[in-house]
Amino acid sequence: MKTINTDIERLFRAHYQEMYHLARCILMDDAESKDVVSEVFEQLLERPVVLVPKSETGYLMQAVRNRCRNVIAHKSMKERVKRLLTDDETSLSMMADDGIISRLAELIQQLEPPLRRQIVTLRFAEEQTYQEVASTLGISKVTVYNHLSAALRQLKQQLNSKDHE
C-alpha cells in the first residue's frame, strides 16, 4: 500500500499541472478543474492501475478528458431539464414557487406508465445516472433516455397548459 501511495504521489507531482491545465481548458472553471484532477487521483487510490512509465501521461490525460466529459454531460442534462420545464414566459423565480413545485410533484406522480414515473424519480430525485437507473430497473440506457424525454415533454406541456388557464 505504501508503494502505491508513493507512486501516486510521484504521479501527482509530475502531472498535476498539466492535468489541471487540460481540465481548465475544457471546463473553463477553476474549482471544477481541481475537482476533476482530484477525482482522477482518488480513483487511482481506490482502484490501482499498473501504468507503464511511457504511457502514464497519456492515461492520466485521457482520464481527465473522460471525467470532464462526465461533468459536461451532467451539466448539460440539468440545463436541458431546466429548459424543457421552463419556456420564455416562465421565469426561474416562478419555478422556485412552492405552487409550481407541488404541481410538478403531482404531475410526476401521475406519469404513465409506472416505469416512466420510476425513471424520473430515480434520475432526478435520487440523482442517479442513466446507467445507474438502467441497472436498477434492469432496462437499457436508451429506454431510460426515451422515457425521460417523453416524461419531460409531457410535464412541460402540462405545466404550460396549466399556466395559460
Side-chain angles (χ1 to χ4, degrees):
M1 184 67 175
K2 187 164 176 94
T3 305
I4 292 171
N5 288 344
T6 306
D7 288 342
I8 291 176
E9 186 177 335
R10 179 188 60 76
L11 290 171
F12 182 86
R13 289 175 190 220
H15 300 284
Y16 179 84
Q17 286 300 323
E18 187 178 7
M19 293 168 68
Y20 169 76
H21 180 70
L22 175 62
R24 181 75 176 92
C25 288
I26 295 171
L27 298 174
M28 306 299 249
D29 184 280
D30 290 329
E32 281 183 339
S33 299
K34 289 176 183 176
D35 288 345
V36 161
V37 176
S38 296
E39 288 168 8
V40 169
F41 284 107
E42 181 181 322
Q43 186 177 15
L44 285 175
L45 281 170
E46 290 173 2
R47 291 181 285 157
V49 176
V50 177
L51 296 174
V52 178
K54 292 184 180 191
S55 71
E56 62 190 26
T57 301
Y59 175 86
L60 293 170
M61 299 305 274
Q62 188 61 48
V64 167
R65 277 188 215 94
N66 291 342
R67 184 72 63 182
C68 287
R69 285 186 193 119
N70 291 344
V71 168
I72 291 168
H74 186 69
K75 265 189 195 176
S76 65
M77 176 51 70
K78 282 184 175 179
E79 289 168 6
R80 282 184 283 181
V81 168
K82 198 182 296 181
R83 253 185 278 130
L84 283 170
L85 292 176
T86 60
D87 60 10
D88 296 334
E89 298 169 18
T90 308
S91 70
L92 290 176
S93 61
M94 256 182 84
M95 283 303 292
D97 180 55
D98 287 337
I100 297 289
I101 292 172
S102 62
R103 174 73 179 137
L104 183 58
E106 276 176 37
L107 293 173
I108 289 171
Q109 290 309 310
Q110 295 169 5
L111 286 172
E112 290 293 331
L115 177 63
R116 187 166 293 163
R117 185 172 47 246
Q118 283 181 294
I119 290 170
V120 169
T121 302
L122 289 172
R123 178 67 183 110
F124 297 110
E126 297 185 23
E127 296 183 350
Q128 290 187 7
T129 65
Y130 279 65
Q131 185 60 55
E132 291 168 338
V133 172
S135 296
T136 299
L137 299 175
I139 58 177
S140 73
K141 284 182 6 183
V142 172
T143 302
V144 171
Y145 178 81
N146 289 337
H147 276 285
L148 280 174
S149 295
L152 292 173
R153 273 192 309 275
Q154 183 181 346
L155 292 170
K156 179 182 177 184
Q157 205 171 42
Q158 289 174 326
L159 281 174
N160 287 337
S161 69
K162 187 70 173 176
D163 288 341
H164 297 306
E165 290 176 1

